[in-house]
Amino acid sequence: MSTEAASVVLSRKLEDGSTDGEVLELLRLAPLRRPEVVLSMRKEWRGRRDRQKLRFWDKLEQAAFAALDRASFDDMDWAARMIFSTFGSSWRLNRLIGMKREAIGDIEESMVVYENMLEKDPNNRAALKRQVTVLRTSGKLSEATAHLCWYLKIYLSDVDAWCELADLYISAGSYPQAIYCYNEALLYEKSNWALYLRLGDIYYTLADESSMLTARHYYSKSLTLNSKHNVRAMYGLLLSSQALESGPRAQELKNKNLKNWVQEALKTVYKDKCPSKLSLLPLQ
Amino acid sequence: MTGDDLHLDVRIRDWVLIPVAIVTFCMGIMLQSLGILVRRPLKIHQHKIREGATLSRLGQFKRNAGVLPPDQFASRLAFFVEGDDAFLNQQKAQKSLINSFMSPDFMASQLTESMLSFLPQMVFGAFIRYTFGGFTVCKVPFPLPQRFGSMLQSGIELASRDLDVTYVSALSWYILNLFGYQGVYRLVLSSPNMTAGTQSANSRSSASALSGIITDQVEMGWNQSIQGEKATLKKLICKWDVPSAEDELLQIKFKEVYKQ
């Protein structure tokens, strides 16, 4: 489920009076981050009613993460205490504790927590990945990159990690490496329009003649997979085809067709969503 | 009571039958909790995880090679087949399933588990045999065929086996309890504490343990299957399908899609 689709389902569920439990479940499964909604459903995860059920603990963990997002540490501490008193120490609890340290800005301490987790279980992926985020937050980008590379040498089928590594490379300006990472992610998710969009952006940034053409390919691919809600790819396609017009491909018919297609598309979207800004479109 | 019946002393009930039942129950509970404390997750070596992930990458590469532009395609193909240390050129020692079950990690975990369950039971059984040897503790209220004698009357050695089969000896009572309590434990221990605690702590490790065994199985057929894999990879041609998306895009009537 894409983020947009999920948020539509969520608002529908919030309106038509679905139970809080259903909403929480949707939030758990869908790629949505709505801590305020989770925290507002206190009855679901503070209630005494179904502590015997496993599902309750899923909700409690969810609430703990939401509490971290909203910096309401009382709720988070309460949840952690509840989890500890029932299950004792576990890697999931330790991850929560480490993330709280991160949230209050105690970066070194959180690193220690994750290292202890890894001592117990060197294959704990949660701890390995948290370490990367910690390093990234504290500005040690090259260390974070090295860490993530090491992680991906072992878990080389982790798509999210590949995307994160690509992001790290982009912030370091290492575009060829980032391209490699996104291609790796594409091997696993070849219908993910956002990945094609990212690749288009990178090639557009490289800005030479052949890269610009590749960027146009990728933007087009992204638009075929998602043409309705993809204005970024439209702009990409527009700008790349405009840039190609000044080169040796100036007379290419396909380039012209694509440019016309995307101009029409952009006009349609702008007329519908914000007619007043139609004149700002960089149309030629 | 007819004259043929043995008279069972009431004190046997109070001092043998009931205590044995209670102690067996408590021992079972203790062993369960002890098991949770002692159980270690099976160690999985990282090279095994890596191998499993690489195999899945190989599968994805074969399936979705069309997403890769020529240079990216070539670099990945090289990773799998070019050079001596390429993934598919590694020679592997033949392994068998027995090997993976005989690995020290697996054996150790099995050993502690069986030690925990059998040793106390045997010790306690020996104790009962020694203390209450020859006790007849109760009588089953329905007739039973003769063959049940060995099950219900272990520990009673009579010269002539003519004791009615419905009498149960102390040792047999203990063994019956041991097995009969399994269902009761499941009821008593099914608080979230026990089930969920072990689940959340161990499900991941047991899953990865399983994946370790699976990669072992893959390794078994390794040397045979890599030849086939190499042949498929050689046949794989790079056909980048992203550029053709432009023609596809021009076929889309955006206004209609947008209105939907």
Side-chain angles (χ1 to χ4, degrees), chain B:
Chain B
M1 236 175 228
T2 62
D4 291 345
D5 274 339
L6 276 176
H7 177 68
L8 295 181
D9 198 324
V10 182
R11 279 175 296 178
I12 289 185
R13 184 193 67 198
D14 292 350
W15 292 100
V16 182
L17 184 81
I18 296 172
V20 166
I22 293 173
V23 170
T24 316
F25 181 73
C26 295
M27 191 176 75
I29 299 262
M30 264 168 53
L31 285 183
Q32 297 257 348
S33 331
L34 211 65
I36 291 167
L37 284 181
V38 172
R39 197 174 298 145
R40 290 264 172 280
L42 203 57
K43 263 207 185 122
I44 297 299
H45 293 294
Q46 277 170 344
H47 73 89
K48 268 192 190 156
I49 299 174
R50 179 181 153 75
E51 213 154 79
T54 315
L55 280 172
S56 103
R57 185 194 192 208
L58 178 63
Q60 294 295 332
F61 176 63
K62 282 191 294 187
R63 217 165 298 139
N64 296 339
V67 299
L68 299 175
D71 56 327
Q72 300 283 335
F73 179 86
S75 79
R76 279 162 182 84
L77 197 63
F79 168 81
F80 286 119
V81 290
E82 254 170 48
D84 285 340
D85 53 349
F87 182 66
L88 286 178
N89 287 347
Q90 295 162 357
Q91 290 296 320
K92 291 227 158 52
Q94 281 288 340
K95 275 198 170 181
S96 65
L97 198 58
I98 297 168
N99 265 340
S100 64
F101 281 112
M102 294 288 277
S103 72
D105 292 338
F106 193 77
M107 296 260 280
S109 75
Q110 289 294 303
L111 192 67
T112 40
E113 229 154 80
S114 51
M115 287 277 270
L116 262 179
S117 56
F118 290 119
L119 208 67
Q121 286 173 6
M122 275 166 60
V123 168
F124 197 62
F127 170 75
I128 288 192
R129 192 189 193 98
Y130 176 73
T131 332
F132 303 121
F135 271 80
T136 314
V137 291
C138 58
K139 182 175 186 292
V140 185
F142 42 84
L144 282 170
Q146 197 63 38
R147 297 207 168 194
F148 277 85
S150 55
M151 183 179 125
L152 294 181
Q153 291 173 351
S154 52
I156 301 180
E157 272 99 37
L158 286 179
S160 58
R161 279 209 161 267
D162 55 359
L163 180 63
D164 192 353
V165 191
T166 51
Y167 288 100
V168 181
S169 76
L171 188 60
S172 294
W173 173 241
Y174 163 71
I175 293 169
L176 284 180
N177 276 324
L178 214 54
F179 293 108
Y181 275 136
Q182 296 295 340
V184 183
Y185 292 142
R186 219 165 293 143
L187 275 180
V188 174
L189 298 179
S190 69
S191 61
N193 197 352
M194 290 298 183
T195 52
T198 49
Q199 259 177 29
S200 61
N202 293 333
S203 63
R204 229 175 51 84
S205 67
S206 63
S208 52
L210 203 66
S211 78
I213 287 180
I214 289 169
T215 44
D216 276 354
Q217 270 177 334
V218 171
E219 274 174 35
M220 267 183 282
W222 179 262
N223 291 337
Q224 287 90 340
S225 64
I226 54 172
Q227 297 308 327
E229 293 286 358
K230 273 193 204 164
T232 5
L233 281 188
K234 265 189 201 129
K235 272 184 225 145
L236 208 60
I237 34 167
C238 174
K239 197 183 162 301
W240 191 29
D241 60 12
V242 174
S244 66
E246 291 179 342
D247 302 321
E248 230 175 284
L249 184 69
L250 290 173
Q251 302 297 317
I252 297 177
K253 302 264 183 292
F254 181 76
K255 275 183 186 158
E256 286 166 24
V257 176
Y258 190 71
K259 267 178 206 138
Q260 275 166 20

Side-chain angles (χ1 to χ4, degrees), chain A residues 51-54 57 85-87 90-92 121-125 128 150 152-157 162 176 179-181 183-184 186-190 196 203 213-214 216-221 223-224 227-228 234 237 254 257-258 261 264-266 268-269 272-273, chain B residues 41 43-47 49-58 60-65 67-69 71-72 75-76 79 190-201 204 240-255 257-260:
Chain A
R51 273 183 202 174
Q52 297 297 312
K53 292 181 193 151
L54 276 178
W57 300 100
S85 66
T86 315
F87 298 109
S90 67
W91 69 268
R92 281 166 85 161
D121 173 15
N123 299 334
N124 193 319
R125 295 169 65 171
L128 288 167
W150 180 83
L152 278 169
K153 278 208 173 102
I154 296 160
Y155 302 94
L156 70 180
S157 51
W162 280 112
I179 288 171
Y180 184 91
C181 294
N183 272 308
E184 196 64 36
L186 267 186
L187 278 182
Y188 290 89
E189 296 185 359
K190 66 165 181 179
Y196 292 103
Y203 278 107
L213 184 64
T214 316
R216 198 186 74 188
H217 295 331
Y218 277 119
Y219 285 130
S220 308
K221 179 77 185 176
L223 276 170
T224 49
S227 48
K228 208 171 170 186
M234 286 178 203
L237 184 54
K254 199 196 256 178
N257 286 342
L258 281 169
W261 187 95
E264 284 309 306
L266 274 171
T268 317
V269 176
D272 182 41
K273 295 272 151 93
Chain B
K43 263 207 185 122
I44 297 299
H45 293 294
Q46 277 170 344
H47 73 89
I49 299 174
R50 179 181 153 75
E51 213 154 79
T54 315
L55 280 172
S56 103
R57 185 194 192 208
L58 178 63
Q60 294 295 332
F61 176 63
K62 282 191 294 187
R63 217 165 298 139
N64 296 339
V67 299
L68 299 175
D71 56 327
Q72 300 283 335
S75 79
R76 279 162 182 84
F79 168 81
S190 69
S191 61
N193 197 352
M194 290 298 183
T195 52
T198 49
Q199 259 177 29
S200 61
R204 229 175 51 84
W240 191 29
D241 60 12
V242 174
S244 66
E246 291 179 342
D247 302 321
E248 230 175 284
L249 184 69
L250 290 173
Q251 302 297 317
I252 297 177
K253 302 264 183 292
F254 181 76
K255 275 183 186 158
V257 176
Y258 190 71
K259 267 178 206 138
Q260 275 166 20

Side-chain angles (χ1 to χ4, degrees), chain A residues 159-258:
Chain A
V159 175
D160 293 335
W162 280 112
C163 292
E164 176 78 9
L165 184 60
D167 211 33
L168 276 165
Y169 276 132
I170 288 174
S171 56
S174 323
Y175 297 117
Q177 283 86 342
I179 288 171
Y180 184 91
C181 294
Y182 277 130
N183 272 308
E184 196 64 36
L186 267 186
L187 278 182
Y188 290 89
E189 296 185 359
K190 66 165 181 179
S191 306
N192 189 338
W193 58 271
L195 291 176
Y196 292 103
L197 178 55
R198 283 309 195 80
L199 276 165
D201 285 348
I202 296 172
Y203 278 107
Y204 183 79
T205 315
L206 290 175
D208 58 286
E209 167 80 22
S210 72
S211 303
M212 207 49 97
L213 184 64
T214 316
R216 198 186 74 188
H217 295 331
Y218 277 119
Y219 285 130
S220 308
K221 179 77 185 176
S222 181
L223 276 170
T224 49
L225 291 169
N226 173 15
S227 48
K228 208 171 170 186
H229 303 283
N230 203 354
V231 175
R232 187 182 171 92
M234 286 178 203
Y235 266 116
L237 184 54
L238 179 67
L239 293 176
S240 54
S241 57
Q242 280 175 358
L244 282 168
E245 271 183 338
S246 58
R249 282 172 188 275
Q251 299 308 316
E252 200 194 39
L253 187 64
K254 199 196 256 178
N255 197 39
K256 233 172 242 169
N257 286 342
L258 281 169

